[in-house]
Amino acid sequence: MLTLDHLAVASATLEEGTAWVEDQLGVQLLPGGQHARYGTHNALLGLADGLYFEVIAKDPNAVPEAGHSWFGLDSFVGAPRLANWICQTADMVAAMNKAPRSAGTPQALTRGDLAWQIAVPDGGTLPFDGAFPTLLQWADGTQHPSQRLPDSGCKLEMFEVTHPAADIINAMIDLQDSRVSLSEGPFAMQATFQTPHGLRTLT
């Protein structure tokens, strides 16, 4: 069974992505950290109901230890936008057995006292344009990042994904999360949030 863990906005630079999200949602993001293996850094926002949100970009001062980045950042161009959704599982082996081969292989990562496994595609290119979720399993005893972030006053109301291969994707995931809708149509992502300033939408 998969549940939504967090959402990721990709950006050419972390500064640009952070400014865009802060302008759209009307709240301030917090500094995150670096991911040495994939040469990225991020900014974070705590959401209600055990979720969080990240803006992620390539770190210009880092060389990826893996030889490539992740979340499709090596080929990213254009304005900041929703790039992927990350789902957590309690059984990575079972989730990967249903996933497409292009979802990659689980990588064991740590940062400080955080430890997790995450499926990273070879070369870092996301399957189904990012419409297939990145699979993640937190290590036993790891406190979820959402519990470390202050309340931003934001809550995800709905995350909607459309893709021409939605039926194929749905057949490969055992998703149990009423906040997520995956349906057939031209590829698009849209996240609707309740914020201190009312409903706001990111795409």
Side-chain angles (χ1 to χ4, degrees):
M1 182 181 74
L2 303 181
T3 57
L4 185 63
D5 187 85
H6 67 280
L7 299 176
V9 158
S11 181
T13 70
L14 186 58
E15 294 77 15
E16 182 184 3
T18 299
W20 180 71
V21 172
E22 290 181 344
D23 180 66
Q24 295 295 308
L25 298 185
V27 294
Q28 186 173 2
L29 275 67
L30 297 177
Q34 288 75 36
H35 314 100
R37 181 165 176 78
Y38 297 105
T40 56
H41 53 174
N42 66 359
L44 303 172
L45 181 70
L47 302 173
D49 302 326
L51 296 178
Y52 73 103
F53 182 94
E54 72 171 327
V55 174
I56 190 164
K58 296 185 72 170
D59 185 344
N61 299 313
V63 176
E65 295 171 357
H68 61 82
S69 194
W70 52 356
F71 293 108
L73 287 170
D74 285 331
S75 59
F76 183 88
V77 293
R81 58 184 178 272
L82 282 168
N84 195 220
W85 49 309
I86 298 85
C87 286
Q88 62 172 285
T89 177
D91 189 341
M92 180 64 86
V93 173
M96 292 302 301
N97 283 340
K98 294 186 66 176
R101 185 173 299 178
S102 57
T105 54
Q107 305 292 322
L109 301 180
T110 60
R111 190 175 74 190
D113 59 352
L114 293 171
W116 69 99
Q117 290 187 72
I118 185 168
V120 180
D122 296 337
T125 300
L126 293 168
F128 294 98
D129 309 305
F132 187 88
T134 290
L135 303 176
L136 175 149
Q137 182 174 5
W138 294 102
D140 292 342
T142 292
Q143 185 184 39
H144 192 265
S146 65
Q147 298 177 281
R148 303 165 179 243
L149 295 168
D151 181 9
S152 66
C154 294
K155 176 182 179 180
L156 178 69
E157 294 290 339
M158 179 62 69
F159 177 61
E160 299 166 276
V161 183
T162 57
H163 194 277
D167 288 348
I168 295 173
I169 298 171
N170 273 314
M172 292 187 289
I173 57 176
D174 180 16
L175 182 65
Q176 301 292 324
D177 200 313
S178 61
R179 300 166 294 195
V180 180
S181 168
L182 175 58
S183 58
E184 187 173 347
F187 174 57
M189 292 184 184
Q190 177 173 291
T192 303
F193 299 89
Q194 184 62 253
T195 78
H197 314 287
L199 286 176
R200 299 289 179 89
T201 299
L202 295 181
T203 58

